Amino acid sequence: MTTPSEESGPRGRGIAFFDVDETLIGPKSMFSFLEFHFGDGSREPGSYERAVAHLRAAAARGVPRQDVNRLYYRLMAGESVEGLRAAGRKWFSEAARAPGFWHTPVLERLRRHRAGGDLVVLLSGSFFACLDPIAEAAGAHWALGTRPVVRDGLLTGEVLVPMIGATKGVAARAAAAVRDVPLSDCTAYGDHSSDLALLSSVGSPVVVGEDSVLAAHAEAHGWERVTAGSGHPVPASGGEEPRPSRR
């Protein structure tokens, strides 16, 4: 996983934070990777379907999103870091060729932020196998995801803190502090209600897609919106112009 340091990335004008799944890219990277990885012929047929059914059943029972995230990584217990890195690059080389992999309007925003001197940071509940190749291809400076616990080069199946919900807001505040950038000079993009803490922490929040919770906040607070099929922003209520990203 790309890790932040005091010297990495530009000393630019602000920070642009991007959720990944269904924001920067169309699919859910963790499930797309899992299907690819579990279909490599080394597991019994139906392994992917059983794993997904287990995760969906937990979500249906009301298990918190961060705990479902933990359950996902238990599926990776005993896997090697290097093996997963290699699998992730193979997955990406195939997945990124599929139509709709990149959410083009958001990818264009990312590239404009980078060209304008902003530090570009990906924040995701996904992990290094998926995030490293995505960050490299998109041109992100940092990729901060859920960090699996590793011993002797193998994943234990446990994680530190899932990069879900409020943790994204904490990560944004920490990154801004490390770079000495006011949060008011930061932009964030998210598609799901679990991104609300992240969006609420910055000066220029951008709602991607049609999540009803985020749409309500955008309506109430004049946040900019980007629809799934278009690069055009959705004006705030009353015909007001959306809040511009810091440029």
Side-chain angles (χ1 to χ4, degrees):
M1 180 182 302
T2 306
T3 53
S5 73
E6 286 289 346
E7 302 304 322
S8 62
R11 290 292 177 182
R13 303 164 64 186
I15 303 176
F17 298 100
F18 289 81
D19 172 57
V20 176
D21 295 357
E22 300 182 300
T23 297
L24 179 61
I25 66 172
K28 294 179 182 290
S29 63
M30 294 166 64
F31 287 96
S32 179
F33 172 75
L34 191 68
E35 183 174 18
F36 174 87
H37 189 47
F38 276 25
D40 65 0
S42 64
R43 291 170 176 79
E44 294 181 0
S47 294
Y48 169 74
E49 290 77 10
R50 288 190 293 273
V52 170
H54 174 63
L55 296 173
R56 287 177 175 165
R61 294 194 305 271
V63 174
R65 193 176 176 92
Q66 61 268 28
D67 292 333
V68 175
N69 187 262
R70 290 182 183 277
L71 291 175
Y72 175 91
Y73 291 104
R74 288 176 189 162
L75 299 169
M76 301 293 172
E79 299 264 9
S80 75
V81 170
E82 292 309 312
L84 286 170
R85 286 193 195 282
R89 295 200 174 275
K90 290 179 181 178
W91 161 77
F92 179 78
S93 70
E94 292 189 12
R97 293 199 298 267
F101 179 83
W102 293 106
H103 186 187
T104 304
V106 179
L107 180 60
E108 290 174 349
R109 296 291 190 96
L110 184 154
R111 289 172 173 166
R112 290 206 299 269
H113 280 288
R114 182 180 173 108
D118 288 344
L119 184 79
V120 174
V121 180
L122 306 187
L123 295 175
S124 175
S126 194
F127 72 129
F128 62 84
C130 304
L131 294 181
D132 283 356
I134 290 172
E136 181 179 337
H141 298 103
W142 299 353
L144 307 179
T146 297
R147 292 184 60 185
V149 175
V150 176
R151 294 199 183 103
D152 299 323
L154 303 178
L155 274 64
T156 68
E158 301 302 318
V159 302
L160 297 177
V161 179
M163 187 63 72
I164 299 287
T167 305
K168 288 184 180 179
V170 172
R173 290 190 290 274
V178 166
R179 304 295 292 195
D180 194 25
V181 173
L183 283 165
S184 58
D185 289 348
C186 297
T187 308
Y189 297 79
D191 74 292
H192 189 268
S193 59
S194 61
D195 296 321
L196 186 57
L198 169 63
L199 296 173
S200 298
S201 69
V202 300
S204 298
V206 182
V207 173
V208 178
E210 305 297 336
D211 181 90
S212 60
V213 173
L214 295 188
H217 277 267
E219 181 79 10
H221 302 292
W223 293 356
E224 185 180 357
R225 292 178 62 194
V226 173
T227 58
S230 169
H232 301 295
V234 177
S237 61
E240 299 175 4
E241 290 298 317
R243 295 179 66 174
S245 301
R246 188 179 183 278
R247 277 280 137 253

